[in-house]
Amino acid sequence: AQSVTQLGSHVSVSEGALVLLRCNYSSSVPPYLFWYVQYPNQGLQLLLKYTTGATLVKGINGFEAEFKKSETSFHLTKPSAHMSDAAEYFCAVSDLSGNQFYFGTGTSLTVIP
Amino acid sequence: NAGVTQTPKFQVLKTGQSMTLQCAQDMNHNSMYWYRQDPGMGLRLIYYSASEGTTDKGEVPNGYNVSRLNKREFSLRLESAAPSQTSVYFCASSAIGRVYEQYFGPGTRLTVT
């Protein structure tokens, strides 16, 4: 079975600072990888995804993530944090059918003015 | 275009009671999913339906049943609710060929006392 580990359940950054949210996965085959964002009392929204091809993927709201197979990682970054980025972020991996998703436990991002 | 809708938004049940959570999507998606979200555990897949007329178990199916009523609707039933089923339930859908892009509903917050 696949699994996803998100290091740090809570991350705080200052407005304008770099955002780095860590995600590592375990999979016997190269999986599909995703980052989702959840704002309070809402469902999840897809930020970005890696399926095949370029390992650096860009998503919405200025976020990007890099797939590093050798490190089994898919860390999420944003050069400059904005107050509106405060939310819960989930890393996820799916099997190749796309039907079974495995989510990490989430990282709550706080942006300090 | 409402996307994915869920009813009810909130529900309180007593142990042993039954209820059905409703989910509908208006995006003509083939695949639909039910997840539960618990603090510190991320989202876990309960059941999914890859197409109308088919359903499959996910990671945590025990205590639940599902019905794919038609292409639009996918319901989740708790026959005899238990306190361990207190959670936030999310429905999601995705298009055929793009199963990795899941669209989530706003969630149902269920408390079992």
Side-chain angles (χ1 to χ4, degrees), chain A residues 64-75:
Chain A
E64 61 183 37
E66 187 172 11
F67 169 54
K68 292 188 176 180
K69 185 178 176 182
S70 61
E71 299 177 7
T72 61
S73 69
F74 191 57
H75 302 330

Side-chain angles (χ1 to χ4, degrees), chain A residues 32 34 36 38 41-44 46 49 51 90 94 97-106, chain B residues 31 33 35 37 40-43 45 48 50 57-59 90 99-102 104-106 109:
Chain A
Y32 297 146
F34 312 84
Y36 281 85
Q38 184 181 32
N41 300 312
Q42 294 186 26
L44 279 69
L46 181 67
K49 65 181 186 286
T51 53
F90 292 92
S94 80
S97 75
N99 282 323
Q100 291 271 6
F101 269 64
Y102 300 89
F103 284 82
T105 53
Chain B
S31 301
Y33 311 82
Y35 292 89
Q37 182 180 29
M41 301 193 73
L43 276 76
L45 182 64
Y48 67 95
K57 295 178 180 178
E59 188 182 352
F90 288 99
V99 292
Y100 36 82
E101 292 189 23
Q102 297 195 357
F104 284 79
R109 189 173 295 275

